[in-house]
């Protein structure tokens, strides 16, 4: 599925609820369904700056696509991590960089999150885009040098 198709799917899921308490419950359920991040990835370099709670993202590059994993120690934030991974993981760096993440406003996340969580969401998206920039540059470098190694670790 494209990033926009995945966003539309998320918007549809959230539109089933009128009450924000129900939407928070959905976020918590999504976070609880997120596979735990391996301890070896819970490092300072994977910790997202700008988040009040602790949030880690791991990005790997395979077959031209970025695969994200992540976790948070806060249940609602973990749900947001789950949504971002669901929408952006498995796409090319260029698709991630070109993505307009309109689902954030459409489901009401921006207006219903506390200022600190909202800042954290911005920091998470920024970090995921930075991974995309790095992998795109690494991929271009490998192509130009004839080296097909996909490493950025």
């Amino acid at each position: 599925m494209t990033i926009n198709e995945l966003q539309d799917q998320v918007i549809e899921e959230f539109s089933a609820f009128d009450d924000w308490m129900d939407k928070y419950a959905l976020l918590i359920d999504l976070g609880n369904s997120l596979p735990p991040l391996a301890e070896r990835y819970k490092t300072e370099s994977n910790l997202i700056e700008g988040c009040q709670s602790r949030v880690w993202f791991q990005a790997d590059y395979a077959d031209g696509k970025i695969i994200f994993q992540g976790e948070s120690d806060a249940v609602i934030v973990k749900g947001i991590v789950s949504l971002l991974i669901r929408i952006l993981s498995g796409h090319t760096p260029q698709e991630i960089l070109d993505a307009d993440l309109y689902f954030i406003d459409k489901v009401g996340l921006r207006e219903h999150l506390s200022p600190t969580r909202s800042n954290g969401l911005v920091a998470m998206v920024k970090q995921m885009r930075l991974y995309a920039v790095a992998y795109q540059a690494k991929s271009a470098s490998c192509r130009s040098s004839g080296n097909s190694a996909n490493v950025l670790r």
Side-chain angles (χ1 to χ4, degrees), residues 58-74:
Q58 169 65 25
D60 295 297
Y61 192 63
D63 300 322
K65 297 180 191 260
I66 300 177
I67 309 303
F68 290 104
Q69 299 173 68
E71 191 169 324
S72 174
D73 60 0

Side-chain angles (χ1 to χ4, degrees), residues 52-115:
Q52 183 177 14
S53 50
R54 294 172 58 85
V55 178
W56 299 269
F57 272 105
Q58 169 65 25
D60 295 297
Y61 192 63
D63 300 322
K65 297 180 191 260
I66 300 177
I67 309 303
F68 290 104
Q69 299 173 68
E71 191 169 324
S72 174
D73 60 0
V75 291
I76 290 175
V77 176
K78 194 172 177 183
I80 295 167
V81 168
S82 175
L83 285 175
L84 291 173
I85 289 172
R86 176 174 162 190
I87 290 168
L88 295 176
S89 189
H91 294 281
T92 67
Q94 193 61 55
E95 289 169 332
I96 293 167
L97 293 171
D98 290 344
D100 169 20
L101 298 179
Y102 57 83
F103 84 96
I104 294 168
D105 286 323
K106 294 272 188 186
V107 302
L109 278 178
R110 196 178 313 273
E111 71 181 271
H112 286 93
L113 292 177
S114 67

